[in-house]
């Protein structure tokens, strides 16, 4: 700054040692010497170890002295200031297996034997799809989705983050970290919750169940498990230490399998005889404890597909055993295992969010269409930020559905959206595609997107550009819930 440069020019010769206080005086009162400044530069004080920031100081000093910057001399850097490889630190024998640890579910080997290719989700290996001989990925996904919607399917959900929450203030804590209400959640019931960052943007989502008065089990996204655990501990330890609440990561403790579809209840009933599985006694968004094939289990009536679902949780040591029991019990119903690709497609048919795909750290719950969940009777993390002028702009990008006019055209994810078919370059982009699939159940393509002011633009036509194609694809902005909008199948 001008004040800093002026202070340097006022230095007088002094030969005393430099302290932090001397440096402060040099900047604010301007009576230290060139030698002291040079000593300061040599010390390399700064978070960059003195290598980067002090180049500016050397430039100022060379200007004051009227000499070339090279004549000032090099500074004294503190190590480490030159990048080195991880291999130099860890040793030449460390391979990728230790550099990037692989996490596998208890059912992993079954998936391998079934011929499933895998995709990486966080550190986990998750089955992508289960091809039969001669099937492409599209063939396999179409079959998995159709079979699940029309009969039954099973999905390995063991990778979901799971956090055990206990303590007399557990409910109060959840009430503060989630934007919806939690104090009155009944024992044996589940609730979907959305966490916000302090900036009011969606941080993570998931279902939490109340196991007893002071005992909850939280499910997080697979990729967000560590982030959420750190987030909870941070608020507990540094902001609300007066609350008596304790967290334990139990992701690896439980193997989780979702049995889904119109015949899911019939399949689970063949394995479980100590829980009333009827819709009246075991309604959607509740949980029960009992046994499955003789193994103690927690069963949750929650769904990420929009179908009637039974999410079975057992000790991880019994994961494969229960999976195989489910497959055997479902054989008469032509049960199919399905992978992550089918999961993404079926949840998109219901407009269920994937945090990090349909959100990107700049999406509020209002933008995502979840404003009905925001509590108006309590305070929570991020609430204040929801009323900032930027958070209530009418032209914020909002989550909507897209239906291509040519139903056979599948939009590219990430595709940029314009309001006019032939925008001049640089084009005025109004949004982008977040999720896009071919839906065999709907016999057409579907997509989700964030578009400026999208919630009030239903029925408008927009255009999506395709690389190396001259003509964009036209689509109509629509309600993102494409399948069973009334939720009848969820509650069956």
């Amino acid at each position: 700054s001008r004040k800093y440069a002026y202070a340097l020019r006022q230095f007088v010769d002094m030969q005393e040692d430099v302290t932090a206080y001397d440096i402060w005086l040099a900047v604010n009162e301007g009576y230290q010497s060139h030698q002291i400044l040079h000593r300061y530069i040599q010390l390399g004080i700064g978070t960059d170890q003195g290598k980067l920031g002090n180049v500016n100081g050397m430039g100022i000093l060379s200007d004051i002295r009227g000499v070339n910057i090279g004549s000032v001399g090099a500074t004294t850097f503190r190590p480490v200031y030159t990048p080195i490889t991880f291999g130099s630190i860890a040793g030449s024998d460390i391979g990728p297996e230790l550099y990037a640890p692989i996490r596998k579910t208890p059912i992993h080997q079954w998936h391998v034997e079934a011929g499933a290719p895998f995709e990486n989700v966080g550190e986990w290996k998750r089955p992508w799809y289960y091809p039969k001989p001669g099937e492409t990925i599209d063939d396999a996904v179409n079959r998995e989705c159709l079979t699940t919607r029309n009969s039954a399917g099973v999905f390995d959900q063991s990778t979901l983050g799971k956090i055990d929450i206990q303590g007399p203030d557990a409910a109060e804590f959840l009430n503060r970290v989630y934007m919806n209400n939690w104090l009155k959640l009944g024992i044996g019931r589940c609730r979907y919750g959305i966490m916000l960052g302090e900036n009011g943007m969606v941080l993570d989502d998931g279902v939490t169940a109340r196991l007893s008065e002071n005992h909850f089990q939280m499910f997080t996204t697979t990729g967000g498990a560590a982030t959420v655990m750190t987030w909870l501990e941070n608020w507990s330890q540094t902001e609300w230490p007066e609350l008596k609440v304790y967290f334990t990561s139990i992701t690896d403790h439980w193997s989780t399998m979702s049995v889904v579809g119109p015949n899911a209840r019939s399949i689970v009933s063949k394995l479980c005889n100590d829980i009333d599985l009827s819709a009246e006694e075991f309604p959607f968004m509740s949980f029960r404890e009992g046994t499955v094939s003789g193994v103690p289990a927690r069963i949750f009536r929650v769904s990420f597909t929009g179908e009637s679902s039974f999410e079975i949780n057992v000790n991880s040591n019994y994961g494969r055993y229960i999976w195989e029991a489910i497959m055997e019990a479902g054989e008469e119903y032509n049960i199919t295992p399905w992978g992550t690709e089918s999961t993404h497609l079926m949840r998109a048919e219901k407009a269920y969010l994937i945090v990090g795909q349909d959100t990107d750290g700049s999406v509020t719950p209002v933008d995502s269409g979840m404003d009905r969940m925001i509590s108006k009777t309590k305070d929570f993390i991020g609430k204040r930020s929801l009323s900032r002028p930027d958070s209530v702009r009418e032209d914020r990008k909002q989550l909507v559905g897209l239906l291509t006019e040519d139903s056979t055209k599948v939009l590219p994810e990430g595709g940029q959206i314009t309001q006019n078919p032939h925008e001049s370059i640089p084009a005025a982009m109004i949004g982008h595609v977040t999720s896009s699939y071919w839906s065999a159940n709907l016999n057409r393509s579907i997509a989700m997107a964030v578009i400026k002011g999208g919630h009030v633009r239903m029925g408008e036509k927009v255009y999506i550009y395709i690389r190396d194609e001259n003509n964009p694809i036209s689509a109509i902005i629509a309600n993102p819930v494409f399948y069973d909008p009334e939720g009848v199948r969820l509650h069956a």
Side-chain angles (χ1 to χ4, degrees):
S1 69
R2 182 173 299 177
K3 180 179 178 182
Y4 185 39
Y6 174 79
L8 297 177
R9 289 185 171 89
Q10 303 304 310
F11 284 165
V12 296
D13 288 337
M14 296 179 66
Q15 299 298 326
E16 60 191 70
D17 289 337
V18 179
T19 67
Y21 182 64
D22 294 328
I23 296 168
W24 181 86
L25 289 174
V27 174
N28 290 277
E29 300 186 22
Y31 66 80
Q32 303 292 0
S33 67
H34 296 338
Q35 288 84 353
I36 292 177
L37 175 61
H38 197 277
R39 175 75 177 279
Y40 162 57
I41 293 174
Q42 287 181 320
L43 287 172
I45 297 173
T47 57
D48 60 356
Q49 306 301 318
K51 183 175 177 67
L52 302 177
N54 281 334
V55 172
N56 298 317
M58 293 162 60
I60 293 172
L61 183 58
S62 68
D63 181 57
I64 294 172
R65 294 175 57 184
V67 298
N68 185 281
I69 190 171
S71 303
V72 175
T75 58
T76 303
F77 310 131
R78 293 174 292 187
V80 175
Y81 57 82
T82 301
I84 61 175
T85 65
F86 283 141
S88 299
I89 297 174
S92 60
D93 294 331
I94 299 299
E97 294 80 7
L98 293 180
Y99 167 69
I102 295 174
R103 301 181 73 178
K104 301 176 182 178
T105 76
I107 313 166
H108 179 84
Q109 189 57 36
W110 190 96
H111 304 317
V112 172
E113 294 167 5
F118 292 84
E119 70 170 342
N120 298 321
V121 182
E123 296 173 338
W124 292 95
K125 292 291 184 182
R126 302 194 73 178
W128 191 9
Y129 59 99
Y130 297 83
K132 291 187 175 181
E135 282 188 336
T136 65
I137 179 174
D138 292 334
D139 296 333
V141 170
N142 291 341
R143 173 181 50 77
E144 290 170 12
C145 292
L146 286 169
T147 302
T148 299
R149 293 278 193 218
N150 293 302
S151 183
V154 60
F155 179 54
D156 182 1
Q157 257 179 285
S158 304
T159 64
L160 286 179
K162 308 174 194 71
I163 301 174
D164 187 86
I165 304 174
Q166 299 192 43
D169 295 317
E172 172 62 27
F173 186 89
L174 291 174
N175 210 44
R176 297 183 188 184
V177 298
Y178 279 128
M179 68 179 194
N180 47 335
N181 289 306
W182 288 81
L183 293 178
K184 296 183 179 180
L185 180 66
I187 296 172
R189 301 292 295 182
C190 308
R191 182 162 291 167
Y192 172 71
I194 294 180
M195 290 183 192
L196 308 182
E198 292 179 274
N199 59 1
M201 307 302 161
V202 174
L203 176 70
D204 201 77
D205 70 340
V207 171
T208 296
R210 193 168 200 163
L211 308 184
S212 65
E213 182 66 23
N214 299 320
H215 189 186
F216 294 79
Q217 180 172 330
M218 176 186 289
F219 291 89
T220 75
T221 57
T222 295
T227 299
V228 172
M229 184 68 177
T230 302
W231 184 250
L232 301 181
E233 288 285 9
N234 179 62
W235 284 90
S236 173
Q237 295 182 32
T238 65
E239 304 299 326
W240 306 319
E242 74 281 3
L243 296 184
K244 294 182 174 60
V245 58
Y246 312 97
F247 313 97
T248 304
S249 174
I250 56 173
T251 300
D252 294 319
H253 297 192
W254 295 88
S255 185
T256 306
M257 295 142 279
S258 288
V259 185
V260 176
N263 290 313
R265 180 175 285 106
S266 298
I267 294 170
V268 177
S269 65
K270 295 169 69 173
L271 306 172
C272 176
N273 57 17
D274 55 1
I275 298 176
D276 187 338
L277 300 175
S278 66
E280 295 74 24
E281 294 299 321
F282 195 175
F284 179 60
M285 295 303 281
S286 60
F287 101 97
R288 299 288 184 268
E289 291 187 288
T291 59
V292 175
S293 289
V295 177
R298 292 174 181 171
I299 303 180
F300 298 82
R301 283 274 280 121
V302 297
S303 178
F304 195 49
T305 61
E307 292 292 333
S308 177
S309 304
F310 294 82
E311 190 174 284
I312 300 171
N313 289 254
V314 297
N315 182 294
S316 291
N317 294 318
Y318 295 96
R320 176 161 180 167
Y321 168 72
I322 296 299
W323 178 273
E324 290 178 340
I326 292 170
M327 292 298 297
E328 183 178 349
E331 188 173 355
E332 66 173 292
Y333 300 100
N334 193 33
I335 191 172
T336 181
W338 84 81
T340 53
E341 191 67 19
S342 293
T343 298
H344 293 171
L345 195 162
M346 286 188 283
R347 65 87 203 173
E349 292 172 340
K350 290 289 293 182
Y352 293 157
L353 291 177
I354 292 183
V355 174
Q357 179 169 327
D358 301 303
T359 69
D360 60 0
S362 66
V363 174
T364 71
V366 177
D367 298 336
S368 63
M370 299 292 183
D371 46 306
R372 66 188 183 279
M373 290 178 56
I374 302 173
S375 173
K376 297 178 175 59
T377 62
K378 66 160 189 171
D379 196 9
F380 55 88
I381 297 172
K383 180 178 182 178
R384 181 177 60 180
S385 295
L386 294 178
S387 60
R388 294 182 307 165
D390 185 68
S391 298
V392 296
R393 286 187 291 109
E394 292 184 356
D395 65 342
R396 287 189 61 83
K397 290 183 179 180
Q398 299 170 333
L399 192 69
V400 296
L402 288 179
L403 292 172
T404 54
E405 290 195 301
D406 180 349
S407 63
T408 64
K409 292 280 190 180
V410 178
L411 298 173
E413 292 184 347
Q416 296 295 305
I417 302 171
T418 65
Q419 193 165 347
N420 301 305
H422 296 292
E423 290 273 0
S424 59
I425 298 175
M429 302 299 178
I430 61 173
H432 68 274
V433 179
T434 63
S435 299
S436 180
Y437 309 93
W438 170 262
S439 169
N441 288 294
L442 299 171
N443 195 33
R444 63 158 301 123
S445 68
I446 59 172
M448 298 164 70
V450 286
I451 294 178
K452 291 181 178 180
H455 292 165
V456 296
R457 304 178 68 166
M458 295 294 161
E460 288 188 20
K461 185 185 296 188
V462 292
Y463 301 87
I464 299 87
Y465 280 82
I466 308 298
R467 179 181 293 178
D468 301 326
E469 292 190 18
N470 294 325
N471 296 317
I473 298 176
S474 59
I476 305 299
I477 299 175
N479 186 317
V481 184
F482 303 109
Y483 184 82
D484 187 28
E486 296 80 16
V488 174
R489 299 175 75 97
L490 270 177
H491 301 270

